[in-house]
Amino acid sequence: MHDQIVKFSIDVIGPVVVLLVLGKLLYRFGHISDAFVAGGSKLVFNYALPALLFMSISQADFQSAADEQMIALGLSVTAIFFIFSLLSTHMLFTERQDRGVIVQGCFRANLGVIGLAYAAKTFNTEDFAQAAVYMGALILLYNVLSVWVLNHYLPRKLKPGQTLLEMVKNPIIVAILLALMVSYWQLPMPEIATLSLDYFAQLTLPLALLCTGASIRFGQMKGHSLALIFATICKCLLYPLASVALGVTFNFTHTQLLTVMFMSIAPTAAVSFIMVKNMGGNADLAANIVAITTVV
């Protein structure tokens, strides 16, 4: 059993850590530049990740795979934990523009890569479809909350109408909404569109992790040690603990509890760094949170 657990961990997390380290090494030896990181980050945020999320969600049978009780729990726990993180960060950290980055690091799990990898290695086809739809609902909430909190803590505070416009224009949110419609009404897609989106979606993980790894600044971790410790405890312990504990309270089945655990215990999403970089926040702190939570 112990050997199986170790193998499972290495198979799922190992490649993620390798790509982070590779990104750092390629940057250090001059094979990746700041311009590459900036361009690659925009490519992932605007096109590759939306394509990945669209394909993951649209191919699930929404009407049979949507577990309303599980989705309601996931959305409720996330919203409550977001408020907890927001209040705690406001009290603990004085640097305004870092607060949004820390809050996002506390709750935004890497569902599309790590969460689904856990589910794919554990569940049958039917249970995996439920996990995919559950993931879609959570990612939609993650992005709404992330856009709002990052906009709120930007040096130039956006007006409510501008914040709403940023959410509407967010390519990740647009992709998820379109995918949910395709899944719900089982709309057919041409094979050429499906294959093309699949190819493009495959860019997401390697490119996002290489850019994140290249942006890790170990020398700056000392200045952010409290933020890193706080975000790691929240993301790797408190958030999954709250999610699973509430699932046990509501007598969730074994499969439901595993789904909730897999999705909540995944490390901070690499795209959180991409979003912070695109919105002018502290990208170094975001990259370090991704790195630390992934290793932990």
Side-chain angles (χ1 to χ4, degrees), residues 157-208:
K157 186 177 178 180
L158 298 180
K159 296 178 181 179
Q162 292 174 308
T163 302
L164 180 61
L165 181 62
E166 286 295 320
M167 292 181 184
V168 173
K169 290 166 51 181
N170 186 298
I172 299 172
I173 293 177
V174 172
I176 292 173
L177 291 176
L178 290 175
L180 288 172
M181 288 189 286
V182 171
S183 176
Y184 183 79
W185 283 297
Q186 290 293 289
L187 302 177
M189 288 181 57
E191 186 175 357
I192 187 172
T194 302
L195 291 175
S196 300
L197 286 171
D198 269 334
Y199 288 147
F200 208 63
Q202 291 172 21
L203 286 172
T204 306
L205 178 57
L207 189 54

Side-chain angles (χ1 to χ4, degrees), residues 221-293:
M221 284 191 179
K222 291 181 180 178
H224 296 141
S225 57
L226 179 60
L228 291 172
I229 292 171
F230 177 76
T232 301
I233 290 175
C234 285
K235 181 71 221 53
C236 298
L237 179 62
L238 300 182
Y239 181 49
L241 183 62
S243 301
V244 174
L246 197 59
V248 172
T249 301
F250 284 97
N251 296 317
F252 271 22
T253 65
H254 180 70
T255 300
Q256 286 176 316
L257 285 174
L258 281 178
T259 302
V260 170
M261 184 183 72
F262 287 158
M263 296 301 169
S264 61
I265 207 168
T268 302
V271 73
S272 65
F273 155 76
I274 304 293
M275 182 176 284
V276 169
K277 190 169 185 66
N278 274 277
M279 297 177 71
N282 189 339
D284 292 335
L285 175 58
N288 288 334
I289 289 175
V290 172
I292 296 298
T293 56

Side-chain angles (χ1 to χ4, degrees), residues 15-67:
V16 175
V17 176
V18 168
L19 283 172
L20 285 172
V21 173
L22 184 60
K24 179 64 178 177
L25 292 176
L26 289 173
Y27 180 83
R28 182 173 183 178
F29 291 108
H31 299 295
I32 288 180
S33 64
D34 290 326
F36 177 91
V37 173
S41 299
K42 289 181 180 179
L43 180 61
V44 171
F45 180 74
N46 290 309
Y47 302 104
L49 182 64
L52 173 65
L53 295 175
F54 179 85
M55 293 307 298
S56 298
I57 298 168
S58 64
Q59 293 179 341
D61 185 354
F62 183 89
Q63 299 187 50
S64 62
D67 187 325

